[in-house]
Amino acid sequence: MSWRDLYCGELRSSDIGRLVTVAGWADTRRDHGGLVFIDLRDHTGKIQLVINPERSAEAAAVSHEVRNEFVLRAQGHVVARAPEAVNPNLPTGEVEIQVENIEIVSRSTPLPFQLDEEHVDETLRLRYRWLDLRRDRMQNALRLSHAVVAAIRRTMDERGFIDVWTPSMTRGTPEGARDFLVPVRLQPGKFFALAQSPQLFKQLCMVGGIDRYYQIATCWRDEDLRADRQFEFRQLDLELAFAEVEDVLAVMEDAIVASFDAVGREPPRQPFERLSYPDVMRRFGTDKPDLRYGMEIQDATEVTRGSGFGVFAGADCVRYLVAPQAFTRTELARLEEVAKEWGAKGLAYLVVDESGEVRSPIAKFLSPAEVAAFAARPASTVLFAAGDEAGVARVLGGLRVHLGRELGLAEGARDAFHWVLDFPLFEESEYGGWTFLHHPFTAPVAGQEGWDEELPVDVRGQHYDLIWNGWELGSGSIRIHDVEVQQRVFRTMGMSEDEAHSKFGFLLEALAMGAPPHGGFAMGLDRFVALMAGEPDIRQVIAFPKVASGADPLTGAPTPMPADVLAEQGIQTLPGLPR
Ligand code: ASP
């Protein structure tokens, strides 16, 4: 007898009369004194088994022993359920199997949680992930993840990309995080870094004439874990030779649209909107705005130049947003707290009530022309930020996101995908001097290669970010393929020639041996899938994730290592380290 003829969720009334064998897990068992009902479950659904002692005393005896999550194999005839027993909520709800033989294939100890239990503590779910994986939520998430990856692979294949495997163990790659280090037994005292991304290898593929590379690449970054961040994660990583910005964007858009199609969801319209970095910063106060709603930041710097309100009069920049609601004092106090979290000292506001009356502690300082300039409709609130431009953007950007969520402004709106372009190539480093905004391999806009190395403020990079409903899905750029330009970037970052050669000598040599123009992108796959699945964090779409502390509750990793194992690798742990 084979394990099964078909899956549990496949049986329909057209199967009535068939003798079938099914196998799966006992989802529930109901003992009706005599008749025993078992819902047998596999990854496709459930089928009701009926065990009648009059039909088979042996089967009845076995069924009394069955407990939740035992693995069973059962054989019997498919019959119609009595009309009152039809379950319209179950695809198999019109039929059941009258069991002739049943066998316990595998038993289960008592469960740490029931599969139909909601709100199970997450650490417990991860500790017993094999049970959690049996639940619909995880089954659906992993299947959706697979469908997305398959659609992406198809898209890449159709567009001439080839999947090239690149090493995980490499030299440090500058993606802005700490490296995970791998000691090397054969060379004690030396370490590999786990790749933060395949960035340099994919560029070398381009120099190597690969033309179009992609990979669903695992990347490792030693950063604090968050809802959308794990130590290790996957990205769709791609690179194209002889590419312009638009070539890269088009491929990524195709991959997104194919993913939507694959999961039966209405895809976003192509081309996605393209916005410039200075523009989004001014209008939304962030480089990853949620464009499902408006509530754009407006400028009032000129209008308030000679204001009677000193805070406005003396500020470099005064901006505001108009929320579509007349807030109460309590609500305004809460919003002030939010503004403070984003660095504001306080929150100036004008509340316009239903009748158009303005209520505000600062109204008396403002001229009628100023008040009129804010053009707030009845039943709205004008919220201000004043100060330097970056600070104002941060505060109003933070308030806009907060209000968008609190007021449900995005509800029912179409998905909003867009690109942000025209980023600066450098930014001021927190350690003084200048550093890259994306990574040091991003090319400047053509014609801007002669930037001032001491003050590289005006040079823009050919860098682009992809945003979905306010989430950054990934970034990429056209890369530098001219070794001189690459060296200028390193110099501008304050890197000596020796340091540049010792860290990136291989890249500089490759760029000097016939490098084609090239560019690419990387999209965080787990985040993309989590958003697709409507899950709040990426752990819900990863089979075996880690908890926020970075530990794996399932295996207990990470663990200390015996001193002799460490010694073999040339490692000694410092005394006094927390264990
Ligand atoms: N390597 C970059 C990253 O991982 C993406 C890219 O520029 O292609 O973020």
Side-chain angles (χ1 to χ4, degrees):
M1 185 160 91
S2 63
W3 285 110
R4 58 188 175 190
D5 302 330
L6 76 185
Y7 295 125
C8 299
E10 286 183 324
L11 286 165
R12 298 288 181 274
S13 39
S14 53
D15 296 303
I16 289 169
R18 278 178 72 184
L19 176 68
V20 294
T21 302
V22 287
W25 285 263
D27 195 61
T28 50
R29 188 188 66 114
R30 298 177 301 282
D31 205 326
H32 283 200
L35 286 187
V36 175
F37 295 90
I38 294 172
D39 281 345
L40 195 71
R41 185 196 71 236
D42 65 16
H43 63 287
T44 64
K46 296 176 200 169
I47 179 71
Q48 177 162 284
L49 309 180
V50 190
I51 301 102
N52 184 342
E54 287 170 17
R55 197 173 307 272
S56 164
E58 207 178 316
V62 172
S63 71
H64 286 299
E65 270 186 61
V66 170
R67 296 293 174 267
N68 283 1
E69 298 308 309
F70 277 26
V71 177
L72 311 174
R73 172 165 63 172
Q75 189 183 49
H77 282 92
V78 182
V79 299
R81 292 198 195 188
E84 66 280 7
V86 165
N87 182 350
N89 301 322
L90 217 58
T92 61
E94 291 185 351
V95 295
E96 58 195 14
I97 298 177
Q98 293 225 314
V99 172
E100 275 121 49
N101 291 303
I102 185 162
E103 178 194 342
I104 294 176
V105 177
S106 174
R107 286 166 194 269
S108 169
T109 51
L111 302 171
F113 55 86
Q114 296 303 318
L115 266 62
D116 60 0
E117 212 174 309
E118 281 177 46
H119 312 300
V120 178
D121 171 66
E122 201 186 4
T123 308
L124 194 65
R125 285 177 55 203
L126 295 179
R127 167 73 182 80
Y128 298 97
R129 191 61 151 181
W130 58 85
L131 289 180
D132 194 42
L133 288 178
R134 289 183 203 161
R135 312 211 285 177
D136 284 346
R137 182 179 183 182
M138 285 308 302
Q139 288 277 325
N140 293 340
L142 295 184
R143 274 163 218 290
L144 182 129
S145 176
H146 167 75
V148 167
V149 170
I152 287 174
R153 288 195 181 281
R154 264 195 312 278
T155 309
M156 294 296 122
D157 189 47
E158 283 161 7
R159 282 155 190 69
F161 286 78
I162 64 166
D163 180 345
V164 180
W165 184 46
T166 57
S168 312
M169 289 159 64
T170 176
R171 273 187 96 102
T173 34
E175 297 285 359
R178 286 192 189 86
D179 288 320
F180 277 104
L181 301 180
V182 183
V184 183
R185 179 182 55 83
L186 295 175
Q187 295 181 55
K190 291 192 178 166
F191 298 84
F192 284 106
L194 291 180
Q196 289 192 33
S197 87
Q199 183 61 37
L200 292 176
F201 291 109
K202 67 177 172 177
Q203 291 194 238
L204 297 179
C205 283
M206 296 301 105
V207 184
I210 297 298
D211 202 63
R212 290 189 158 202
Y213 144 98
Y214 93 102
Q215 194 178 178
I216 305 290
T218 301
C219 305
W220 291 265
R221 296 185 192 178
D222 184 0
E223 296 176 297
D224 292 341
L225 285 78
R226 287 196 314 225
D228 59 355
R229 210 148 71 184
Q230 289 266 308
F231 287 155
E232 47 188 328
F233 57 92
R234 292 177 305 164
Q235 61 184 29
L236 162 61
D237 195 53
L238 53 87
E239 198 75 12
L240 297 70
F242 300 104
E244 302 279 1
V245 171
E246 283 299 326
D247 299 318
V248 184
L249 306 197
V251 171
M252 278 309 304
E253 291 188 9
D254 288 350
I256 302 278
V257 166
S259 305
F260 269 66
D261 281 337
V263 302
R265 190 164 157 167
E266 190 185 344
R269 276 192 220 108
Q270 286 177 278
F272 301 172
E273 199 177 341
R274 280 122 169 92
L275 297 164
S276 80
Y277 173 77
D279 190 38
V280 290
M281 289 308 286
R282 194 173 35 75
R283 291 166 58 197
F284 306 103
T286 165
D287 57 2
K288 40 177 183 293
D290 187 342
L291 296 189
R292 285 175 299 174
Y293 52 90
M295 208 165 63
E296 293 190 18
I297 295 170
Q298 327 253 3
D299 194 78
T301 315
E302 288 312 315
V303 183
T304 55
R305 185 70 72 210
S307 180
F309 185 47
V311 175
F312 287 178
D316 283 353
C317 172
V318 181
R319 290 184 182 161
Y320 64 97
L321 26 99
V322 184
Q325 188 169 315
F327 291 122
T328 63
R329 260 175 219 292
T330 331
E331 286 165 335
L332 285 161
R334 281 202 48 214
L335 289 175
E336 180 161 17
E337 287 310 308
V338 175
K340 284 181 175 166
E341 279 166 29
W342 291 98
K345 293 204 186 69
L347 183 64
Y349 59 84
L350 294 178
V351 179
V352 188
D353 69 17
E354 304 285 337
S355 62
E357 185 115 8
V358 175
R359 182 157 61 73
S360 162
I362 63 162
K364 55 178 179 282
F365 302 113
L366 302 178
S367 67
E370 283 175 89
V371 175
F374 306 129
R377 280 191 302 260
S380 65
T381 306
V382 188
L383 300 166
F384 295 94
D388 66 88
E389 192 173 352
V392 165
R394 206 167 47 240
V395 171
L396 292 180
L399 278 172
R400 182 177 175 277
V401 170
H402 175 83
L403 288 168
R405 210 166 29 225
E406 291 278 297
L407 304 179
L409 298 182
E411 269 161 36
R414 259 189 90 96
D415 284 300
F417 278 87
H418 67 270
W419 295 99
V420 178
L421 301 125
D422 301 326
F423 285 84
L425 190 58
F426 297 100
E427 63 180 356
E428 273 179 273
S429 158
E430 52 183 308
Y431 309 108
W434 295 87
T435 186
F436 52 85
L437 204 78
H438 180 40
H439 51 51
F441 317 112
T442 297
V445 165
Q448 298 193 351
E449 297 82 358
W451 69 85
D452 176 349
E453 291 180 26
E454 300 298 316
L455 199 66
V457 278
D458 289 330
V459 53
R460 304 222 157 265
Q462 297 197 58
H463 163 183
Y464 28 81
D465 278 358
L466 175 59
I467 316 295
W468 178 11
N469 297 347
W471 290 89
E472 186 191 317
L473 288 180
S475 23
S477 58
I478 298 299
R479 326 298 183 184
I480 297 166
H481 69 279
D482 177 331
V483 67
E484 302 291 333
V485 178
Q486 187 63 70
Q487 278 162 328
R488 272 177 74 81
V489 167
F490 290 146
R491 270 201 311 273
T492 306
M493 288 165 53
M495 208 186 268
S496 70
E497 205 159 311
D498 280 355
E499 189 183 354
H501 267 97
S502 91
K503 285 186 174 159
F504 302 113
F506 61 99
L507 175 71
L508 294 171
E509 279 180 66
L511 292 182
M513 291 187 196
H518 58 286
F521 196 80
M523 176 173 81
L525 202 58
D526 308 298
R527 182 181 309 181
F528 181 56
V529 170
L531 287 169
M532 276 280 201
E535 286 290 0
D537 61 73
I538 60 172
R539 294 187 301 279
Q540 312 309 327
V541 298
I542 296 175
F544 300 103
K546 296 179 177 48
V547 293
S549 66
D552 171 10
L554 195 157
T555 63
T559 57
M561 284 290 158
D564 57 333
V565 174
L566 292 178
E568 200 179 27
Q569 316 241 15
I571 295 178
Q572 200 178 13
T573 43
L574 293 173
L577 280 183
R579 291 266 154 187

